[in-house]
Amino acid sequence: MKAIRFHEFGSPEVLKHEDVPEPQLRDDQVLVRVKACALNHLDLWVRKGLPGVRLPHINGSDVAGEIEQVGAYISDLKKGQRVLLAPMVFCNHCQECVSGRQNMCRQFTVLGNLVDGGNCELIAIPRVNVIPLPDHLGYNEAASVPLVFLTAWHMLVGRSQIRPGQTVLILGGGSGVGSAAIQISKMFGATVIATAGDENKLEKSKALGADHLINHYKQKIADEVRTITSKAGVDIVFEHVGQATWDESVRSLKPGGVLVTCGATTGPEAKFDIRVLFVKQLSFLGSYMGTMGELHEVLKHVFSGKLRPVIDKTFPLSEARVAHERLEKSEQFGKIILNP
Ligand SMILES: [Zn+2]
């Protein structure tokens, strides 16, 4: 089969469209023909080189496709069914897994991170990862959903326990995770302040439901938040930008506020005044992906149309390099999709 694979870490040039062996299906697995695979920032990090990634490697976390074959142990799925894949790998028998906290399993990894992912034509995956799709949801839409909506759901609902009436500051409303966060926050009856780096992304954030907009290149985020909230600050800051926005994010919190983060796109170093942390009684929460239970929960709202996947652009799988460059330059609004 064809796949996008890289044999060394580096810039988008390392991505090769080449022939690779087809996966061997185990009796407890499902073989899925990939129809769409969405890009995530994780793909860029893995391509540049993350600890534990073995070469050669196939990227790709968010997969939608059609069942090609089912293993002998599986009786409730059949060839031809349209499915999406849960973008995570876990042991499924440790205490954390059986308690429903798969993202705390010692073997937990994101599909396409420490194991080969879906930038290919066929993928073999355990039954637990395979989720049937409703007819009305296309493959590109389905592939746009899992990682970003699950990540945003776990951050806002699982970790921050968002409530109606709260105010949420969402950094990078134009990103995949940001556009999911805007919609989830609105679904929970919160007021949303979204930031973005250009007018086009601000307009699109507004169309998704953002109540207030901040251009994070032209305006000081915390000053704008202060004006918008009549000096109160926000209940929740939704962070994934990291170093470039950390100070502004902390300054934007109201007393008792929560900063929840899932990423550090602009850099991992942050500094803060411990006195601010205890005097303002702030909470800093880390969040990594989400659980299988949360994925099923958020998908219900996607399948019912309450939450809408946002697609930026689609590329043939063979043009993965161009797709990576687009994401690297932050030119996208929503998800970039590869079609094998
Ligand atoms: Zn486990």
Side-chain angles (χ1 to χ4, degrees):
M1 66 168 178
K2 287 285 184 200
I4 293 291
R5 206 159 65 153
F6 51 94
H7 297 256
E8 56 182 322
F9 298 119
S11 59
E13 282 77 50
V14 301
L15 300 170
K16 307 285 181 218
H17 188 232
E18 60 187 17
D19 288 305
V20 305
E22 288 189 7
Q24 292 295 309
L25 182 66
R26 292 193 326 233
D27 286 343
D28 61 343
Q29 286 183 323
V30 179
L31 188 67
V32 173
R33 182 162 295 279
V34 179
K35 298 285 189 182
C37 187
L39 243 66
N40 290 284
H41 271 279
L42 178 66
D43 296 301
L44 309 183
W45 298 120
V46 171
R47 192 201 71 220
K48 289 174 192 167
L50 284 184
V53 178
R54 287 192 299 261
L55 297 171
H57 184 79
I58 300 172
N59 268 339
S61 308
D62 281 329
V63 176
E66 189 182 288
I67 294 181
E68 181 76 17
Q69 197 185 337
V70 293
Y73 298 168
I74 296 162
S75 56
D76 64 334
L77 291 174
K78 59 178 192 295
K79 180 178 161 68
Q81 262 185 288
R82 302 167 72 253
V83 296
L84 68 75
L85 305 187
M88 59 178 100
V89 178
F90 48 95
C91 81
N92 212 14
H93 54 75
C94 74
Q95 185 180 348
E96 298 298 346
C97 282
V98 298
S99 303
R101 295 184 294 263
Q102 292 81 9
N103 55 345
M104 293 189 183
C105 172
R106 286 181 67 175
Q107 292 181 32
F108 182 85
T109 187
V110 180
L111 185 65
N113 180 359
L114 299 183
V115 297
D116 280 344
N119 285 348
C120 57
E121 292 178 307
L122 290 166
I123 185 166
I125 193 110
R127 167 66 185 90
V128 67
N129 288 75
V130 180
I131 301 171
L133 278 179
D135 292 339
H136 65 82
L137 200 67
Y139 288 122
N140 290 336
E141 286 78 14
S144 305
V145 172
L147 202 143
V148 289
F149 275 91
L150 175 56
T151 299
W153 187 272
H154 185 58
M155 290 172 76
L156 291 167
V157 185
R159 300 291 281 141
S160 308
Q161 298 177 323
I162 188 171
R163 292 196 307 278
Q166 288 190 317
T167 303
V168 184
L169 171 65
I170 295 169
L171 280 294
S175 65
V177 76
S179 57
I182 292 172
Q183 295 184 63
I184 293 168
S185 299
K186 290 312 295 179
M187 203 176 87
F188 276 82
T191 299
V192 169
I193 307 171
T195 84
D198 65 53
E199 291 307 314
N200 182 35
K201 289 185 179 185
L202 288 169
E203 274 310 306
K204 287 179 173 170
S205 300
K206 192 175 178 185
L208 285 178
D211 301 283
H212 305 277
L213 306 166
I214 298 174
N215 183 322
H216 57 220
Y217 290 134
K218 291 187 181 158
Q219 297 170 295
K220 283 287 242 186
I221 295 171
D223 292 348
E224 292 302 314
V225 166
R226 206 174 139 79
T227 305
I228 293 164
T229 60
S230 308
K231 299 184 184 172
V234 298
D235 297 279
I236 300 171
V237 176
F238 184 94
E239 249 290 351
H240 53 105
V241 180
Q243 203 161 318
T245 49
W246 185 265
D247 289 345
E248 293 293 305
S249 292
V250 175
R251 281 185 55 216
S252 299
L253 287 167
K254 67 158 62 161
V258 172
L259 186 157
V260 61
T261 183
C262 71
T265 310
T266 58
E269 305 283 338
K271 204 166 68 168
F272 64 88
D273 187 332
I274 297 166
R275 294 167 298 182
V276 174
L277 181 67
F278 66 73
V279 170
K280 284 183 81 179
Q281 303 191 65
L282 304 177
S283 301
F284 293 169
L285 302 178
S287 190
Y288 192 52
M289 280 278 284
T291 69
M292 283 299 295
E294 287 172 324
L295 178 59
H296 281 272
E297 198 177 10
V298 72
L299 283 176
K300 269 193 287 190
H301 303 296
V302 174
F303 293 169
S304 74
K306 276 207 188 101
L307 299 173
R308 289 179 296 120
V310 183
I311 296 175
D312 172 64
K313 212 169 173 202
T314 63
F315 292 89
L317 180 65
S318 56
E319 290 177 25
R321 188 189 296 184
V322 187
H324 272 236
E325 284 164 357
R326 181 171 176 81
L327 182 59
E328 211 139 49
K329 288 185 210 145
S330 283
E331 287 170 348
Q332 86 293 355
F333 186 94
K335 303 301 288 179
I336 299 171
I337 311 286
L338 297 174
N339 296 127

